[in-house]
């Protein structure tokens, strides 16, 4: 069974940094793309950053210049380096990977890792 597991969430002061990790197992196919989402309490889940297998990256406007997504393609792993964290970044962060399925794709999600940023 395909599994994604996030780690690295923690309590951090505003201005601090964290690196989130997502490791995957259960498939020989490369996810395309892989992405990080986040969901704050009472708010909609939002896309934070994505990375295709060719290295193309995209970021939400709210995190541009502060967050960096990267991948280890062979390991089907993805990372999120977060700098200059602010309380608004407090959320549960989820890793997602898409695998082809006919004309569409199947999305696999991790269970999330909590990031809490204090003032």
């Amino acid at each position: 069974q395909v599994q994604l597991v996030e780690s690295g969430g923690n309590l951090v002061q505003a201005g601090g940094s964290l690196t989130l990790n997502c490791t995957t197992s259960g498939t020989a196919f490369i996810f395309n793309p892989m992405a990080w989402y986040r969901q704050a309490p009472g708010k909609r889940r939002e896309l934070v950053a994505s990375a295709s297998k060719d290295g193309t990256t995209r970021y939400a406007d709210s995190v541009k210049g502060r967050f960096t997504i990267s991948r280890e393609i062979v390991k089907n792993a993805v990372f999120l380096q977060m700098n200059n964290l602010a309380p608004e970044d407090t959320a549960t962060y989820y890793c997602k990977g898409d695998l082809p399925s006919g004309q569409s794709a199947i999305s696999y999600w991790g269970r999330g890792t909590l990031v809490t940023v204090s003032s």
Side-chain angles (χ1 to χ4, degrees), residues 106-118:
I106 299 175
S107 296
Y108 296 89
W109 294 85
R111 294 183 178 182
T113 185
L114 179 62
V115 173
T116 303
V117 184
S118 62

Side-chain angles (χ1 to χ4, degrees), residues 68-91:
T68 302
I69 188 171
S70 59
R71 296 183 63 173
E72 291 281 351
I73 297 297
V74 174
K75 297 181 179 180
N76 257 338
V78 65
F79 311 90
L80 186 67
Q81 175 65 47
M82 305 184 294
N83 298 321
N84 298 316
L85 285 162
E88 305 88 83
D89 297 314
T90 295

Side-chain angles (χ1 to χ4, degrees), residues 38-46 87-92 94:
R38 68 185 181 187
Q39 187 168 24
K43 295 187 177 181
R44 181 191 301 174
R45 181 180 60 190
E46 63 175 342
E88 305 88 83
D89 297 314
T90 295
T92 298
Y94 298 91

Side-chain angles (χ1 to χ4, degrees), residues 7-57:
S7 64
N10 212 333
L11 172 65
V12 63
Q13 289 184 320
S17 299
L18 285 174
T19 299
L20 305 183
N21 305 315
C22 177
T23 58
T24 66
S25 63
T27 180
F29 296 97
I30 299 173
F31 293 104
N32 191 34
M34 295 197 76
W36 287 96
Y37 288 74
R38 68 185 181 187
Q39 187 168 24
K43 295 187 177 181
R44 181 191 301 174
R45 181 180 60 190
E46 63 175 342
L47 176 63
V48 176
S50 66
S52 67
K53 63 182 180 181
D54 68 1
T56 301
T57 59

